[in-house]
């Protein structure tokens, strides 16, 4: 057997060792960023892939749950935070974190492209909006037809005895979609009339789910004729062939912003800022626009097949500061009145 001991072979071996060491160093140099989110599971993959393509040295590690659960988790971890960034959580939750001093002020690059009413108003904001998610009804035409149930046009219609036991909606303590509905009703109607409305609605509700998407999914599957959810899930299910009509109530839509913010305690500031920067880019917004009818980036105009292009004119008045400041009080009162029909965890 011939031994390969030539200078050329030695150089090849040395180069291989250097490449191996360089590769190991590169792998070790990658930043890991812990991201807390309430983004829909079927959205995260595309967002993650696009960001990591733009920033291959950063690995995103997602921790995902519904808005209310994620909000409670972040508050519970305040003394010992695990998250570096919050990406895709309700602006009213971000306002709570800001009040608690949990967020790092940061103006992402290109922030001037974000609509002024869709970000924290401070010159150096603690959160920046991504997109709007708005309430919508999913109405199963087949199941409703079996029961001669009329298609509702308004929130008020849902108190009709024809819908007894036929409605499902999200639990506002677990779901941001549920909370935006409750907050909208209280703001649109005034608190006395708002609670009276929810008392009447409660008589027709079969179950309060712990997911904002689930009521629409249940309606699409025919388990409940009416599911109160949000426009992303309604549009997607109908596009995928579910026998539902998407109803946008005539009195106005409850709505929220999904937003991005950096945790003040992050030890990975550079990577966290890179994500905040990218989340506010046109590229990111064009991805958001595949899912939502309104995005925060100026000049990006989504077109969802089953959502009217004038949806922005249907949004009800929404005071994020009021929603944040009154959140615990509202949830406490809601639970006292309606918890008996909550879905078992």
């Amino acid at each position: 057997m011939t031994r390969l001991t030539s200078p050329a072979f030695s150089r090849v071996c040395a180069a291989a060792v250097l490449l191996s060491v360089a590769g190991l160093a590169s792998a070790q140099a990658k930043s890991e960023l812990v991201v807390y989110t309430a983004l829909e599971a079927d959205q995260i993959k595309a967002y993650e892939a696009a960001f990591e393509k733009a920033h291959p040295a950063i690995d995103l590690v997602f921790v995902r749950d519904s808005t209310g659960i994620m909000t409670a988790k972040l508050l519970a971890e305040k003394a010992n935070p695990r998250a570096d960034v919050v990406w895709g959580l309700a602006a009213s939750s971000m306002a709570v974190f800001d009040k608690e001093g949990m967020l790092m002020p940061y103006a992402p690059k290109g922030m001037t492209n974000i609509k002024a009413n869709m970000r924290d108003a401070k010159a150096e904001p603690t959160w920046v909006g991504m997109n709007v998610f708005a309430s919508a009804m999913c109405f199963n035409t087949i199941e409703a037809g079996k029961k001669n149930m009329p298609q509702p046009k308004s929130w008020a219609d849902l108190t009709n005895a024809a819908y007894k036991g036929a409605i499902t909606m999200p639990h506002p303590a677990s779901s941001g979609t549920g909370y935006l509905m409750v907050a909208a009703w209280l703001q649109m109607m005034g608190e006395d009339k708002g609670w009276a409305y929810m008392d009447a609605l409660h008589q027709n509700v079969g179950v309060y789910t712990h997911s904002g998407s689930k009521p629409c999914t249940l309606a699409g599957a025919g388990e409940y004729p009416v599911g109160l959810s949000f426009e992303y899930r309604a549009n997607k299910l109908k596009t995928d062939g579910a026998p539902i009509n998407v109803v946008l109530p005539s009195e106005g839509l409850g709505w929220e912003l999904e937003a991005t913010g950096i945790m003040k305690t992050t030890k990975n500031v550079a990577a966290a800022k890179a994500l905040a920067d990218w989340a506010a880019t046109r590229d990111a917004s064009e991805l958001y626009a595949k899912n939502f009818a309104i995005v925060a980036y100026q000049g990006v105009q989504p077109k969802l097949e089953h959502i009217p292009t004038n949806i922005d004119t249907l949004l009800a008045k929404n005071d994020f500061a009021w929603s944040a400041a009154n959140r615990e009080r509202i949830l406490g009162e809601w639970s006292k009145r309606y918890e008996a029909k909550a879905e078992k965890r």
Side-chain angles (χ1 to χ4, degrees):
M1 175 185 281
T2 304
R3 295 179 64 191
L4 299 176
T5 58
S6 68
F9 178 71
S10 298
R11 287 194 297 273
V12 169
C13 290
V17 170
L18 287 172
L19 286 171
S20 176
V21 171
L24 179 61
S26 175
Q28 290 174 338
K30 290 193 78 169
S31 297
E32 187 176 273
L33 204 63
V34 178
V35 180
Y36 276 26
T37 187
L39 290 167
E40 293 292 293
D42 48 8
Q43 297 166 356
I44 290 174
K45 187 175 181 180
Y47 295 0
E48 178 183 19
F51 171 78
E52 291 187 353
K53 182 178 180 181
H55 294 276
I58 302 173
D59 280 333
L60 301 182
V61 178
F62 283 89
V63 177
R64 192 248 167 224
D65 216 316
S66 295
T67 299
I69 296 170
M70 191 53 67
T71 300
K73 181 176 177 65
L74 281 154
L75 291 170
E77 293 176 357
K78 179 183 174 183
N80 187 26
R82 292 186 56 230
D84 294 302
V85 176
V86 181
W87 185 23
L89 199 65
S92 59
S93 294
M94 293 295 201
V96 173
F97 305 150
D98 189 19
K99 184 179 178 182
E100 294 293 320
M102 296 165 61
L103 300 177
M104 175 189 297
Y106 179 63
K109 296 173 183 175
M111 188 182 72
T112 54
N113 293 309
I114 302 297
K115 298 168 187 172
N117 65 341
M118 294 191 183
R119 59 178 172 82
D120 179 15
K122 295 189 288 291
E124 196 169 25
T126 55
W127 59 266
V128 173
M130 301 158 52
N131 52 261
V132 166
F133 61 108
S135 51
M137 299 181 196
C138 296
F139 182 73
N140 188 304
T141 55
I142 294 175
E143 293 304 311
K146 293 176 183 176
K147 301 174 183 179
N148 294 316
M149 190 179 293
Q151 179 169 303
K153 297 179 181 179
S154 66
W155 297 120
D157 285 348
L158 297 180
T159 63
N160 189 310
Y163 301 106
K164 183 76 172 178
I167 299 170
T168 177
M169 74 165 277
H171 193 303
S174 305
S175 161
T177 304
Y179 185 64
L180 71 84
M181 289 180 199
V182 171
W185 294 331
L186 294 174
Q187 291 181 78
M188 284 192 295
M189 302 176 193
E191 293 216 24
D192 289 345
K193 290 182 179 179
W195 288 115
Y197 169 73
M198 284 184 272
D199 287 344
L201 176 66
H202 180 67
Q203 301 308 310
N204 290 341
V205 169
V207 67
Y208 297 103
T209 70
H210 294 295
S211 157
S213 287
K214 191 171 182 179
C216 196
T217 302
L218 291 174
E223 295 187 41
Y224 287 88
V226 183
L228 308 187
S229 189
F230 62 110
E231 93 286 5
Y232 162 73
R233 185 57 61 195
N235 181 75
K236 189 172 191 310
L237 280 172
K238 185 169 178 66
T239 300
D240 290 347
I244 61 169
N245 285 341
V246 180
V247 179
L248 303 180
S250 58
E251 301 98 329
L253 311 181
W255 62 283
E256 260 277 17
L257 285 169
E258 286 186 316
T260 307
I262 299 173
M263 297 297 289
K264 186 178 284 186
T265 51
T266 181
K267 293 180 173 60
N268 201 346
V269 175
K273 288 183 176 180
L275 177 55
D277 287 341
W278 187 85
T281 62
R282 187 180 188 93
D283 285 349
S285 294
E286 287 176 348
L287 286 178
Y288 308 153
K290 292 181 179 180
N291 302 313
F292 295 98
I294 304 171
V295 298
Y297 196 97
Q298 299 181 64
V300 176
Q301 181 57 54
K303 292 182 181 178
L304 302 187
E305 184 177 356
H306 303 291
I307 305 297
T309 55
N310 71 333
I311 187 174
D312 58 320
T313 67
L314 306 177
L315 303 181
K317 180 182 177 182
N318 190 3
D319 184 336
F320 291 125
W322 182 89
S323 293
N326 290 281
R327 180 182 174 85
E328 292 307 312
R329 176 181 66 84
I330 291 169
L331 292 178
E333 182 65 23
W334 190 95
S335 182
K336 185 169 66 175
R337 293 176 183 239
Y338 315 125
E339 193 67 35
K341 289 186 179 180
E343 179 182 49
K344 302 303 180 188
R345 293 184 185 274

